[in-house]
Amino acid sequence: VGAASAIRFLNLKTGATIAGPEATEYLGPFLSWSPDSKRIAFDKAEQVYVLDVGSGRASKIADGIWPSWSPSGEWVAFLDKSKVDLVHPDGSDSRVLTKLGRFEVFGQAPVWSPNSHTILIQTPQEESVLPRMDIYSVDVASHKRTKMFRMVPPVFAWAPAR
């Protein structure tokens, strides 16, 4: 990417656009809002950052891609090569949640359960316009990984049942 890119914010009431941090290197497409809507986790050049929307300051919190903020606000999950890691939004207490098998790859960003106790990870099983995934749940406390579904469409969000 030769031209600089930036995260931009669109005010839906006024139509005004505000520029976020500039990036001269690849800026990843994965953004995750904090539950209080005051910060954003994003990836840039295989590093995970947290942007304070009010001040415009971004801080690197980890090496990795595809961040996903927990609904509790306590953790940011992200992918780092063949593992899912967790880190607090201030960059402290980084830990490995789970590792992939030898021939597995990730297909999507981690997806949090509404109560922040479980993360879904997805591994592609079919390369196509309509990919199929094997989906695993990983318990955040015990790190236990359980296969939930085989050869299903990707999951992008998890909402509570009503």
Side-chain angles (χ1 to χ4, degrees), residues 55-129:
S55 70
R57 283 191 297 265
S59 302
K60 178 187 168 194
I61 62 168
D63 291 325
I65 60 171
W66 297 358
S68 180
W69 212 301
S70 69
S72 69
E74 183 181 2
W75 296 103
V76 175
F78 61 95
L79 309 180
D80 183 16
K81 296 180 180 51
S82 64
K83 56 189 170 74
V84 178
D85 289 349
L86 300 176
V87 66
H88 289 300
D90 65 2
S92 67
D93 200 17
S94 181
R95 58 181 70 172
V96 175
L97 179 64
T98 191
K99 293 181 181 183
L100 290 181
R102 184 173 178 188
F103 298 107
E104 292 179 307
V105 296
F106 291 109
Q108 298 291 332
V111 175
W112 284 93
S113 65
N115 65 10
S116 299
H117 295 167
T118 306
I119 291 178
L120 296 182
I121 60 170
Q122 304 173 69
T123 61
Q125 302 303 308
E126 204 174 77
E127 295 288 329
S128 71
V129 175

Side-chain angles (χ1 to χ4, degrees), residues 13-46:
K13 289 183 181 178
T14 66
T17 302
I18 301 168
E22 292 291 326
T24 55
E25 299 179 55
Y26 176 72
L27 180 64
F30 292 94
L31 305 173
S32 184
W33 283 94
S34 65
D36 65 7
S37 301
K38 294 181 180 178
R39 296 171 290 170
I40 293 175
F42 68 96
D43 64 343
K44 178 178 92 171
E46 296 188 17

